[in-house]
Every structure is written in structure tokens, then in C-alpha cells.
Amino acid sequence: RMQLAESGGGLVQAGGSLTLACVFSDYKYSMGWFRQSPGKEREGVAFMEHASSTRYANSVQGRFTLSRDDDKSTLYLQMNNLKPEDTAMYYCAADTGRLQTGFAIPMPLWRGQGTQVTVTV
């Protein structure tokens, strides 16, 4: 059974950085992160099938970096220059199809429990 366990969320001031980590139990075709906050649509933040296929939502392009360490079965999301609008619950996700960035994405087949990121002014 596919399991995804996130860590690394927290409270940070605007302009700061956080790194989220997701330990996964099995490799799936498309993996990455989406986020959601109350009253807002689900947003695909960053996904990859392999290193050269990494893609980002326009809202985080240039600030977030997605990477994967297969030896550690861990997916990372490095988040720099955080903004208050980045505040959300962040979920690690995986699917057998290609996951899309942007708003109103379908719910991925597998997702973790989420880790909260709060950015203050």
C-alpha cells in the first residue's frame, strides 16, 4: 500500500525558507506536492516524473525547487522567499498519470496527511 509521510512544515516570516520532505513507500509515475487552504482551490505546486520533467506552478516558479533522493525514498520541496500567500496545508502526492500544476487539479490517487506551512508578514 502506497504511503506518503510529510514533514518540515512550520511558521516562518515572509522572505524566509522551509524545506518539506516526504518519505514514500513505493515509486509511482508522477510525484510531487499540492497545497490547499480554507476557501481556496487545490493547487498543484510542483511535480516530476524524472529530473528533466520537473514543473512548477506560476505562483512558485523561481522560488520553489522539487527534488527526489531515490536512495532515501524521499521527495523534497525547497521553498525560498516565502510569501503570506504561500500559507496552506502542503500535501505530498503520487499518481499513475501525469500530475498537473495550477489550480483546480483533480485529487491525486495517493496523498499524505499534509504538513502546515504558515507565512507571516
Side-chain angles (χ1 to χ4, degrees), residues 43-83:
E43 183 184 16
V45 173
F47 296 109
M48 67 188 304
E49 289 74 51
H50 44 79
S52 62
S53 70
T54 306
R55 55 200 175 275
Y56 301 92
N58 290 338
S59 58
V60 307
Q61 182 74 46
R63 300 187 296 122
F64 289 14
T65 302
L66 177 66
S67 63
R68 190 176 72 207
D69 186 335
D70 289 337
D71 290 338
K72 296 181 179 180
S73 296
T74 302
L75 198 67
Y76 300 98
L77 185 67
Q78 172 69 43
M79 305 185 295
N80 297 327
N81 190 22
L82 283 160
K83 304 176 181 181

Side-chain angles (χ1 to χ4, degrees), residues 7-8 19 26 30 35 38 77 79 84 87-88 91-92 96-97 105 117 120:
S7 61
T19 299
D26 190 17
S30 189
R35 65 187 181 186
L77 185 67
M79 305 185 295
T87 294
Y91 297 88
C92 184
T96 55
I105 63 167
V117 172
T120 61

